[in-house]
Amino acid sequence: MRFNQYLTKFFCCSLSAFLVLSICLIGCSLTGCGSDDEDDEDDVTTVSESEDEAFEAGPILGNYANAIILATYTDLDNKAGELLGAVQALGAATNQAHLELAQSAWKAARIPWEQSEAWLFGPVDTQGLDPALDSWPVNKVDLDGVLGSDQALTEASIDALEDTLKGFHTIEYLLFREGDQRKAEDISPRELEYLAATTENLKAKTAQLANAWAASGENYAGEVANAGTTSTIYKSQKDAMQEMVNGMIVIADEVANGKISDPFNEKDTTLVESQFSFNSIADFQDNIRGIQNVYMGKFTADGQGLNDFVNGKDAELDARFQTEVQTAIDTIGAIPDPFRDSITANRGAVQAAIDAVSTVQQTLENDILKLVLDSNFN
């Protein structure tokens, strides 16, 4: 009934009738008369429950910690062992075949390391392992000084040197020199001694890194996998999911705005990573493949990845990002080798790669990270 109908009854009915009617009206307003109001109330409840529904990220985090990160570090440590074996064989019999085997082993070890840069957090950061393994450019002046000295060259003495005198790129310099195929007979006994000691040091660092994540060691993988429950580092699953996305953002930013852009903008080949081996383009691609591995939850086996979370929230975003990542890998691969020449000779191809990787970074920052921050997790 409309209010004016009740008003007419007020003038026509007795006081007692009015009181009864008033009581009815009050009861109706409190309980909600009419099916439309009840439907609206049900709709509000349904929306509220949907908004508060928490996502269970445990399977994603467990796969990320163990099947992606720990598996990659284990592969890295195995490949570092193979590199050490090849370097020792080169020292025992310094011939071209052994040199080329050592060069191939160096490139093989770069693959898991560069992919692992999609998560430069945890022990690789807190234990100083990233700079000890991968500082560049090589300090060739000081390196020549050590080579020309009578300093003992052991794993321990190398460990005490500054980071630009050890790790992947010092080994690269000794094995490859300036991108041309080095002759085994040109490697001096002192260089072989330094090469063996610094490769031994690299193997010690990769073993330390794998142990830091392994359940049988420091078990940092357990901290990530058990976020929000028994983890002392990640108080919630959201914290660990945010760490995951931020790791991907950091390497996308470094590739687009550092590794590729710095030598490109300065037209300076000394700023190129992996310049002695001409392995730069493969390095950059593996950095983005690391993002792809994390997102898809796949390294040697396919498991739950960040894509499972994103797809459940926004299928269009998931499909778009998968395309963007693959496009970035392909666009980097389209730069003519060697990269150090292309920063001046093929600037259009290099700029296209920068743009493609920047797109990956922007989607991670503006869309995927926001989705994580705006979502509820168990």
PDB file of all heavy atoms in Angstrom, residues 86-98:
ATOM      1  N   ALA A  86      85.510 -30.031 -15.836  1.00  0.00           N
ATOM      2  CA  ALA A  86      86.057 -29.686 -17.149  1.00  0.00           C
ATOM      3  C   ALA A  86      87.286 -28.791 -17.019  1.00  0.00           C
ATOM      4  O   ALA A  86      88.266 -28.941 -17.778  1.00  0.00           O
ATOM      5  CB  ALA A  86      84.996 -29.003 -17.994  1.00  0.00           C
ATOM      6  N   VAL A  87      87.252 -27.867 -16.062  1.00  0.00           N
ATOM      7  CA  VAL A  87      88.399 -26.980 -15.830  1.00  0.00           C
ATOM      8  C   VAL A  87      89.590 -27.780 -15.308  1.00  0.00           C
ATOM      9  O   VAL A  87      90.737 -27.556 -15.712  1.00  0.00           O
ATOM     10  CB  VAL A  87      88.010 -25.847 -14.857  1.00  0.00           C
ATOM     11  CG1 VAL A  87      89.238 -25.145 -14.293  1.00  0.00           C
ATOM     12  CG2 VAL A  87      87.102 -24.837 -15.565  1.00  0.00           C
ATOM     13  N   GLN A  88      89.335 -28.724 -14.411  1.00  0.00           N
ATOM     14  CA  GLN A  88      90.420 -29.560 -13.895  1.00  0.00           C
ATOM     15  C   GLN A  88      91.008 -30.426 -14.991  1.00  0.00           C
ATOM     16  O   GLN A  88      92.235 -30.640 -15.036  1.00  0.00           O
ATOM     17  CB  GLN A  88      89.901 -30.405 -12.737  1.00  0.00           C
ATOM     18  CG  GLN A  88      89.583 -29.582 -11.489  1.00  0.00           C
ATOM     19  CD  GLN A  88      88.859 -30.371 -10.413  1.00  0.00           C
ATOM     20  OE1 GLN A  88      88.188 -31.372 -10.706  1.00  0.00           O
ATOM     21  NE2 GLN A  88      88.965 -29.928  -9.159  1.00  0.00           N
ATOM     22  N   ALA A  89      90.176 -30.917 -15.899  1.00  0.00           N
ATOM     23  CA  ALA A  89      90.672 -31.701 -17.034  1.00  0.00           C
ATOM     24  C   ALA A  89      91.531 -30.836 -17.954  1.00  0.00           C
ATOM     25  O   ALA A  89      92.557 -31.296 -18.486  1.00  0.00           O
ATOM     26  CB  ALA A  89      89.505 -32.301 -17.807  1.00  0.00           C
ATOM     27  N   LEU A  90      91.130 -29.573 -18.116  1.00  0.00           N
ATOM     28  CA  LEU A  90      91.898 -28.636 -18.930  1.00  0.00           C
ATOM     29  C   LEU A  90      93.270 -28.385 -18.298  1.00  0.00           C
ATOM     30  O   LEU A  90      94.282 -28.297 -18.999  1.00  0.00           O
ATOM     31  CB  LEU A  90      91.138 -27.323 -19.081  1.00  0.00           C
ATOM     32  CG  LEU A  90      91.845 -26.187 -19.817  1.00  0.00           C
ATOM     33  CD1 LEU A  90      92.113 -26.563 -21.275  1.00  0.00           C
ATOM     34  CD2 LEU A  90      91.004 -24.898 -19.753  1.00  0.00           C
ATOM     35  N   GLY A  91      93.291 -28.271 -16.967  1.00  0.00           N
ATOM     36  CA  GLY A  91      94.560 -28.077 -16.280  1.00  0.00           C
ATOM     37  C   GLY A  91      95.467 -29.279 -16.399  1.00  0.00           C
ATOM     38  O   GLY A  91      96.699 -29.139 -16.507  1.00  0.00           O
ATOM     39  N   ALA A  92      94.890 -30.465 -16.389  1.00  0.00           N
ATOM     40  CA  ALA A  92      95.684 -31.693 -16.470  1.00  0.00           C
ATOM     41  C   ALA A  92      96.217 -31.942 -17.865  1.00  0.00           C
ATOM     42  O   ALA A  92      97.332 -32.464 -18.041  1.00  0.00           O
ATOM     43  CB  ALA A  92      94.831 -32.884 -16.010  1.00  0.00           C
ATOM     44  N   ALA A  93      95.414 -31.580 -18.873  1.00  0.00           N
ATOM     45  CA  ALA A  93      95.840 -31.750 -20.270  1.00  0.00           C
ATOM     46  C   ALA A  93      95.313 -30.552 -21.048  1.00  0.00           C
ATOM     47  O   ALA A  93      94.146 -30.528 -21.464  1.00  0.00           O
ATOM     48  CB  ALA A  93      95.294 -33.055 -20.847  1.00  0.00           C
ATOM     49  N   THR A  94      96.186 -29.558 -21.215  1.00  0.00           N
ATOM     50  CA  THR A  94      95.747 -28.281 -21.782  1.00  0.00           C
ATOM     51  C   THR A  94      95.760 -28.354 -23.297  1.00  0.00           C
ATOM     52  O   THR A  94      96.756 -28.017 -23.961  1.00  0.00           O
ATOM     53  CB  THR A  94      96.652 -27.139 -21.272  1.00  0.00           C
ATOM     54  OG1 THR A  94      96.747 -27.212 -19.851  1.00  0.00           O
ATOM     55  CG2 THR A  94      96.071 -25.786 -21.663  1.00  0.00           C
ATOM     56  N   ASN A  95      94.638 -28.811 -23.825  1.00  0.00           N
ATOM     57  CA  ASN A  95      94.486 -28.900 -25.283  1.00  0.00           C
ATOM     58  C   ASN A  95      93.174 -28.254 -25.707  1.00  0.00           C
ATOM     59  O   ASN A  95      92.332 -27.905 -24.876  1.00  0.00           O
ATOM     60  CB  ASN A  95      94.574 -30.350 -25.757  1.00  0.00           C
ATOM     61  CG  ASN A  95      93.551 -31.248 -25.074  1.00  0.00           C
ATOM     62  OD1 ASN A  95      92.367 -30.941 -25.031  1.00  0.00           O
ATOM     63  ND2 ASN A  95      94.020 -32.365 -24.510  1.00  0.00           N
ATOM     64  N   GLN A  96      93.007 -28.100 -27.010  1.00  0.00           N
ATOM     65  CA  GLN A  96      91.842 -27.370 -27.524  1.00  0.00           C
ATOM     66  C   GLN A  96      90.529 -28.090 -27.211  1.00  0.00           C
ATOM     67  O   GLN A  96      89.521 -27.445 -26.912  1.00  0.00           O
ATOM     68  CB  GLN A  96      91.988 -27.168 -29.033  1.00  0.00           C
ATOM     69  CG  GLN A  96      91.168 -26.022 -29.600  1.00  0.00           C
ATOM     70  CD  GLN A  96      91.571 -24.674 -29.039  1.00  0.00           C
ATOM     71  OE1 GLN A  96      92.730 -24.483 -28.658  1.00  0.00           O
ATOM     72  NE2 GLN A  96      90.621 -23.749 -28.970  1.00  0.00           N
ATOM     73  N   ALA A  97      90.546 -29.402 -27.273  1.00  0.00           N
ATOM     74  CA  ALA A  97      89.326 -30.163 -26.987  1.00  0.00           C
ATOM     75  C   ALA A  97      88.865 -29.925 -25.552  1.00  0.00           C
ATOM     76  O   ALA A  97      87.665 -29.712 -25.293  1.00  0.00           O
ATOM     77  CB  ALA A  97      89.559 -31.650 -27.239  1.00  0.00           C
ATOM     78  N   HIS A  98      89.809 -29.953 -24.622  1.00  0.00           N
ATOM     79  CA  HIS A  98      89.442 -29.723 -23.216  1.00  0.00           C
ATOM     80  C   HIS A  98      89.001 -28.277 -22.984  1.00  0.00           C
ATOM     81  O   HIS A  98      88.101 -28.014 -22.189  1.00  0.00           O
ATOM     82  CB  HIS A  98      90.615 -30.072 -22.309  1.00  0.00           C
ATOM     83  CG  HIS A  98      90.770 -31.531 -22.062  1.00  0.00           C
ATOM     84  ND1 HIS A  98      91.978 -32.115 -21.721  1.00  0.00           N
ATOM     85  CD2 HIS A  98      89.879 -32.571 -22.123  1.00  0.00           C
ATOM     86  CE1 HIS A  98      91.809 -33.421 -21.572  1.00  0.00           C
ATOM     87  NE2 HIS A  98      90.543 -33.715 -21.826  1.00  0.00           N
TER      88      HIS A  98
END
